[in-house]
């Protein structure tokens, strides 16, 4: 009969970490749900999946504090950023739950489901932040288009007014003189024809 080998503490901790990682395996995450690889959402979600929670939280805080081209951007995203930070802390607590292997399978499953719910909610929050940013960018572009259209309409109005004034002050007065002269000649011819 062979004596089982005694594992050192590092090996046990490593094995427990591998078991814990299996519990919270997000292999079913569709990479398209993470967003574009250069996007803000992709960075945050990959850091959370890689268990770099502090880096993800730091990135969220830096994103909130960074200057924005849109004045009301911070006001619109502040609550979403704070909620996202809370979700990252919740995910960290679920993944780092001490003694997870000593829990019953039902409790482990409950922790796994809560982790997935928090992760999906974090995805939704980050999508919402990106949507707000896109909506503000579109609104800014629309306002620029409105200004350009207004300038074009004003320029067209000025050109039309200039032609109208030129016609009224130049061509109209000349036309009146020409018509008056033509009417006078016609009247003289008629008088000459009638013999008066």
């Amino acid at each position: 009969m062979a004596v089982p080998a005694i594992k050192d503490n590092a090996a046990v901790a490593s094995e427990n970490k591998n078991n814990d990682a299996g519990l919270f395996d997000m292999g079913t995450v569709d990479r398209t749900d993470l967003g574009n690889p250069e996007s803000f959402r992709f960075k945050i979600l990959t850091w959370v999946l890689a268990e770099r929670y502090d880096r993800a939280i730091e990135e969220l805080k830096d994103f909130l504090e960074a200057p924005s081209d849109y004045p009301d951007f911070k006001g619109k995203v502040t609550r979403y950023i704070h909620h996202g930070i809370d979700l990252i802390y919740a995910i960290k607590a679920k993944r780092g739950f001490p003694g997870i292997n000593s829990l019953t399978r039902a409790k482990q499953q409950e922790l796994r489901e809560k982790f997935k719910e928090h992760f999906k909610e974090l995805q939704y929050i980050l999508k919402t932040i990106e949507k707000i940013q896109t909506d503000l960018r579109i609104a800014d572009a629309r306002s620029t288009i409105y200004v350009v259209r207004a300038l074009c309409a004003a320029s067209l109005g000025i050109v039309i007014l200039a032609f109208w004034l030129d016609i009224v002050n130049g061509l109209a007065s000349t036309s009146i003189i020409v018509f008056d002269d033509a009417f006078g000649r016609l009247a003289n011819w008629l008088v000459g024809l009638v013999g008066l």
Side-chain angles (χ1 to χ4, degrees):
M1 179 167 164
V3 177
I6 298 175
K7 296 181 180 177
D8 62 343
N9 288 339
V12 171
S14 161
E15 186 176 312
N16 286 342
K17 182 146 177 88
N18 289 340
N19 288 341
D20 291 349
L23 284 174
F24 299 106
D25 183 29
M26 289 298 288
T28 59
V29 173
D30 187 12
R31 290 292 174 192
T32 57
D33 288 341
L34 299 180
N36 188 355
E38 289 85 31
S39 71
F40 172 69
R41 177 174 32 139
F42 184 83
K43 285 188 237 178
I44 300 297
L45 294 176
T46 53
W47 283 328
V48 168
L49 287 174
E51 298 183 36
R52 295 186 62 198
Y53 308 110
D54 294 335
R55 181 70 180 124
I57 291 169
E58 181 183 321
E59 183 68 27
L60 281 172
K61 288 179 180 177
D62 289 346
F63 182 76
L64 183 61
E65 296 302 320
S68 176
D69 295 336
Y70 315 108
D72 55 345
F73 179 68
K74 279 188 184 178
K76 290 186 176 193
V77 299
T78 300
R79 65 187 174 115
Y80 293 110
I81 296 286
H82 290 305
H83 186 61
I85 291 170
D86 291 342
L87 287 171
I88 292 172
Y89 280 129
I91 289 170
K92 182 179 180 180
K94 300 292 184 284
R95 268 190 149 171
F97 192 80
I100 194 166
N101 291 330
S102 63
L103 295 174
T104 63
R105 288 214 182 265
K107 287 292 182 185
Q108 288 178 1
Q109 180 65 25
E110 185 179 329
L111 273 176
R112 187 177 0 203
E113 292 302 318
K114 283 290 186 186
F115 166 76
K116 287 181 181 179
E117 283 177 27
H118 291 324
F119 190 79
K120 288 188 185 296
E121 190 173 352
L122 181 62
Q123 278 181 320
Y124 175 75
I125 291 293
L126 294 173
K127 282 180 184 178
T128 303
I129 291 170
E130 287 179 347
K131 183 179 181 320
I132 289 171
Q133 196 172 23
T134 303
D135 290 347
L136 287 173
R137 188 175 298 122
I138 289 171
D140 185 50
R142 282 185 183 151
S143 65
T144 304
I145 290 170
Y146 293 149
V147 168
V148 169
R149 284 184 181 171
L151 288 174
C152 289
S155 299
L156 181 65
I158 290 171
V159 168
I160 290 173
L161 179 64
F163 279 125
W164 174 255
L165 289 175
D166 188 43
I167 289 173
V168 168
N169 293 331
L171 184 62
S173 60
T174 306
S175 299
I176 290 173
I177 293 171
V178 169
F179 286 130
D180 186 44
D181 184 51
F183 182 72
R185 288 182 186 199
L186 179 66
N188 289 338
W189 179 74
L190 285 175
V191 169
L193 188 64
V194 172
L196 289 171

